[in-house]
Amino acid sequence: MSRPARGAGVRITSILVSMVVGVVAVILLLCIALFLDRYRRAIVQNARTSSAQAVSQVSNTVENYLSDMSEAMHIVRQTLGQTEARRDAMLNAFLNFRPDVVDVTSYDAAGQLLDCWALGRDPKEQITANLSFDYERARAGADVFMTAPHVATIFDRYYPWVVTMTARLDGEGPAQWVSLDLSFASLSSYINNVGIGTRGYCFLLDDAGNLVYHPQQQLIYSGLKSEDTAALAGLDDGVYDNGTVITCVNSVGGSGWRVVSVSYVDELVDRNMAEMLQLSCVLGALVLACALLTSWVLSRLLTRPLRGLAGAMESFEADADHFTYHPVGGTREVRELSDSFGHMVLRIQQLMVTVRQEEINLRKTELKALQAQINPHFLYNTLDSIAWMCEQGQNADAVRMVHALARLFRISISKGHELIPIAKEIEHAESYLQIQKYRYKNRFTYTFSVDPACLDCLCNKITLQPILENAINHGLDLMVDEGEIEVQVCPDGGDILFRVRDNGVGMTAEQVQAILHRQPGDRTGIGIKNVDDRLKIYFGKQYGLRIDSVPDVGTCVEIRMPRVTQEAAHVYETR
């Protein structure tokens, strides 16, 4: 069959590329635009919600903190109205009960420190600057006011981080104001740990726009970071977004403080993976729809010629021997496929003829192997020997020889099976040697050495007998001394080895090669060649015979085959 000329017709690749690229490009552009829009809005909305929640939590915490300070101040103001002894006892008990209160101090009208109550600590004799009392704000008439977090400076070698609440006293005594220094460490630690994203943070601001507390205030004081506090002070409570930074402001009830949170949109992209997955699924569905559309269009272009090609394939499958292929038309690719199918049909038909011929040759090889092992000449000589024994009155020997011949034929037939247990093959070989020993009038001896683990494994029938026949006829027959034959069967990894040794006249290397490469027309040694061929046909090229022989010393024939169990026998029997 000649190949049709190439180049005619429309190339389906061009159609496929044009349509798929065009449709998929439009769909992907629409999906990407929709994805980016929704993804951006989802990021901003999540960031605004997270910022509002974080600020609300901080605001509630600070409010609770200030409420605790107000409650403590109320207790202290009531206590200062008691007698001195009762006052001191109650304040010491108060300080023991409230370990967050660092100290309680009172001041006269001039702003001088009158008394200081602190557990185990006394104030300095000379206080250079007392950051816990703002005399100017006290004189301005504020009833209760708070300072920004600062370091307490009234003690020697003890500088806790505190926030101070100061209140006016209404009594007639010298004390005009009382102050509480509360530890700010727990609240500052909480604020430091609050953040939205990796770089987001919260800080405290007063109504005037002054920083009360900032987790990065060291960077601010050093000029490495800045906050637009003036602009923040003018903002109402709420969430503000400028596209890259989200700022949330919330006032703390009962104080002039405000909580401000700062978060960055760009670092919150990875938090919206669920939305990305959902949109990816939508995009995948659209791409699938595009693929289905493209497949439908292509099917319209290819249906008719491909149906003809499919029908031809069905006809070829139904009757490959008598099938004649007629090429189908269509696009260039379909015509090329039709051309390739036509050449494949021819090749398969040729292979079928070759396989049939090889099967015939295999059967002939097996038949010749059997004919080479048990030929009429051997049967005639055996029956002649039995008749001579009967004439000589050696009836017992004749009976044993007849039994051995019967076992030989029974195992040779083996109900048509090619593979038989090694135990049966050994019995067949022993029967053959018994017959030959009678015929050769005990001119040789034989021994068997078989590993019990190999007896239940399978092997090709009539494997040993041609080797033994060759050893007797061409190895021991020419000897003057008594011959010896040893048969050994043993496992070798996943294989089984048969070894047949004799002390006959041996062979040269050229004679060994001649035996292993006999042609079907030769008569001498064809049995050994058939054994080797059958092993390779059944099990593969790596199995078969290997002959080691030394002239005037002897010959060793090694037969290698795989370990075949009863369960695996059908794999080889059906080949």
Side-chain angles (χ1 to χ4, degrees):
M1 178 184 297
S2 61
R3 291 179 178 268
R6 300 193 176 212
V10 180
R11 179 174 282 276
I12 194 171
T13 306
S14 302
I15 300 175
L16 176 63
V17 171
S18 300
M19 294 188 62
V20 172
V21 169
V23 175
V24 172
V26 172
I27 293 177
L28 285 180
L29 286 175
L30 294 176
C31 291
I32 290 174
L34 177 64
F35 170 77
L36 292 177
D37 180 65
R38 292 191 61 185
Y39 191 48
R40 173 73 179 179
R41 286 188 282 125
I43 289 176
V44 174
Q45 184 60 39
N46 288 342
R48 291 168 65 94
T49 302
S50 299
S51 298
Q53 291 176 349
V55 168
S56 177
Q57 292 175 358
V58 174
S59 179
N60 291 335
T61 302
V62 174
E63 186 174 348
N64 292 336
Y65 180 81
L66 298 179
S67 177
D68 288 343
M69 291 187 67
S70 298
E71 182 181 351
M73 177 59 75
H74 178 69
I75 295 173
V76 170
R77 294 173 74 175
Q78 289 182 340
T79 303
L80 290 178
Q82 305 294 326
T83 62
E84 182 177 352
R86 183 174 177 80
R87 177 197 65 189
D88 292 343
M90 292 181 66
L91 286 177
N92 287 329
F94 171 76
L95 292 172
N96 280 301
F97 179 72
R98 293 292 300 268
D100 57 321
V101 178
V102 176
D103 61 71
V104 178
T105 54
S106 62
Y107 301 89
D108 59 15
Q112 297 298 317
L113 178 64
L114 291 177
D115 294 302
C116 176
W117 293 271
L119 294 179
R121 292 182 180 86
D122 294 323
K124 299 177 183 178
E125 294 183 2
Q126 295 293 331
I127 300 176
T128 304
N130 186 0
L131 301 180
S132 297
F133 184 69
D134 191 342
Y135 182 60
E136 297 300 327
R137 291 185 65 182
R139 289 182 59 190
D143 184 56
V144 179
F145 62 90
M146 297 184 61
T147 64
H150 60 276
V151 176
T153 58
I154 64 174
F155 299 107
D156 189 19
R157 293 190 298 275
Y158 179 59
Y159 307 100
W161 185 252
V162 297
V163 61
T164 303
M165 176 178 282
T166 302
R168 181 182 295 277
L169 295 176
D170 298 329
E172 298 178 354
Q176 298 296 311
W177 293 282
V178 62
S179 295
L180 296 180
D181 282 338
L182 277 80
S183 174
F184 195 70
S186 60
L187 185 60
S188 64
S189 177
Y190 174 77
I191 295 176
N192 289 341
N193 292 330
V194 173
I196 303 97
T198 305
R199 295 182 291 154
Y201 56 88
C202 291
F203 61 91
L204 296 179
L205 198 68
D206 62 15
D207 290 335
N210 299 315
L211 285 175
V212 175
Y213 175 75
H214 197 291
Q216 302 172 6
Q217 59 190 19
Q218 291 182 351
L219 297 177
I220 293 176
Y221 292 155
S222 62
L224 299 177
K225 183 177 178 61
S226 63
E227 297 284 357
D228 191 0
T229 56
L232 293 173
L235 296 177
D236 295 330
D237 289 357
V239 181
Y240 303 90
D241 174 23
N242 66 358
T244 57
V245 178
I246 298 176
T247 304
C248 185
V249 182
N250 194 10
S251 298
V252 179
S255 71
W257 291 358
R258 308 180 77 188
V259 179
V260 181
S261 73
V262 177
S263 58
Y264 300 90
V265 174
D266 58 346
E267 70 174 9
L268 301 176
V269 173
D270 293 338
R271 293 193 174 188
N272 203 21
M273 293 303 297
E275 186 74 11
M276 182 186 296
L277 179 61
Q278 180 182 359
L279 293 174
S280 298
C281 293
V282 174
L283 181 62
L286 292 176
V287 173
L288 178 60
C290 172
L292 291 176
L293 176 63
T294 305
S295 300
W296 179 79
V297 174
L298 291 178
S299 67
R300 299 283 295 177
L301 296 173
L302 301 175
T303 296
R304 183 173 299 175
L306 289 182
R307 282 181 179 175
L309 187 59
M313 292 180 179
E314 292 177 356
S315 300
F316 175 67
E317 182 180 3
D319 188 6
D321 288 330
H322 304 92
F323 176 78
T324 301
Y325 179 64
H326 301 285
V328 299
T331 62
R332 178 179 175 180
E333 285 76 10
V334 174
R335 295 179 64 183
E336 291 177 355
L337 181 61
S338 173
D339 180 35
S340 299
F341 176 69
H343 285 272
M344 183 189 71
V345 168
L346 292 178
R347 180 59 178 160
I348 290 177
Q349 289 175 339
Q350 292 172 359
L351 290 175
M352 291 173 62
V353 173
T354 302
V355 169
R356 289 194 185 96
Q357 187 61 43
E358 289 180 351
E359 289 178 350
I360 294 173
N361 292 337
L362 175 61
R363 297 297 177 262
K364 290 181 178 179
T365 299
E366 293 176 349
L367 180 59
K368 288 180 179 179
L370 293 177
Q371 291 173 345
Q373 316 318 322
I374 306 175
N375 50 56
H377 182 67
F378 166 75
L379 181 60
Y380 170 77
N381 289 337
T382 302
L383 292 176
D384 185 62
S385 297
I386 294 173
W388 179 82
M389 291 178 181
C390 292
E391 291 176 355
Q392 297 296 322
Q394 299 178 10
N395 296 333
D397 291 338
V399 169
R400 283 192 289 271
M401 198 168 180
V402 169
H403 286 170
L405 184 62
R407 285 196 305 271
L408 188 72
F409 275 91
R410 182 175 63 252
I411 297 174
S412 299
I413 296 172
S414 301
K415 299 181 180 179
H417 295 294
E418 170 64 21
L419 298 179
I420 63 173
I422 291 178
K424 290 292 185 181
E425 178 65 17
I426 296 299
E427 182 181 351
H428 180 272
E430 191 171 4
S431 299
Y432 176 79
L433 288 174
Q434 288 178 357
I435 294 173
Q436 294 289 55
K437 192 173 182 180
Y438 281 118
R439 289 184 54 207
Y440 282 87
K441 298 179 174 54
N442 296 320
R443 289 177 54 191
F444 67 89
T445 60
Y446 60 86
T447 58
F448 285 85
S449 176
V450 182
D451 191 313
C454 301
L455 292 176
D456 292 332
C457 297
L458 303 183
C459 68
N460 295 81
K461 65 182 179 181
I462 317 179
T463 296
L464 291 175
Q465 189 262 336
I467 312 301
L468 297 173
E469 180 181 6
N470 191 75
I472 294 172
N473 294 338
H474 304 289
L476 305 180
D477 189 38
L478 302 177
M479 291 179 58
V480 177
D481 298 331
E482 183 180 76
E484 296 179 1
I485 296 177
E486 179 186 3
V487 180
Q488 181 183 7
V489 184
C490 62
D492 184 25
D495 300 337
I496 292 180
L497 290 181
F498 293 76
R499 292 189 180 93
V500 178
R501 293 189 178 91
D502 66 68
N503 62 342
V505 296
M507 295 179 288
T508 63
E510 292 76 11
Q511 291 175 318
V512 170
Q513 291 299 318
I515 289 178
L516 292 177
H517 295 84
R518 295 289 185 189
Q519 297 300 319
D522 298 337
R523 300 185 62 181
T524 304
I526 189 63
I528 295 179
K529 178 65 167 56
N530 285 341
V531 171
D532 188 55
D533 289 343
R534 284 192 297 152
L535 291 175
K536 285 180 168 53
I537 291 173
Y538 265 84
F539 304 122
K541 299 295 184 181
Q542 67 272 32
Y543 297 103
L545 272 63
R546 187 172 67 89
I547 302 176
D548 293 325
S549 184
V550 179
D552 299 326
V553 174
T555 302
C556 176
V557 179
E558 183 178 273
I559 308 169
R560 178 179 294 272
M561 64 180 63
R563 183 189 294 264
V564 181
T565 61
Q566 295 284 352
E567 293 76 11
H570 69 282
V571 175
Y572 299 98
E573 291 282 5
T574 55
R575 286 187 174 183

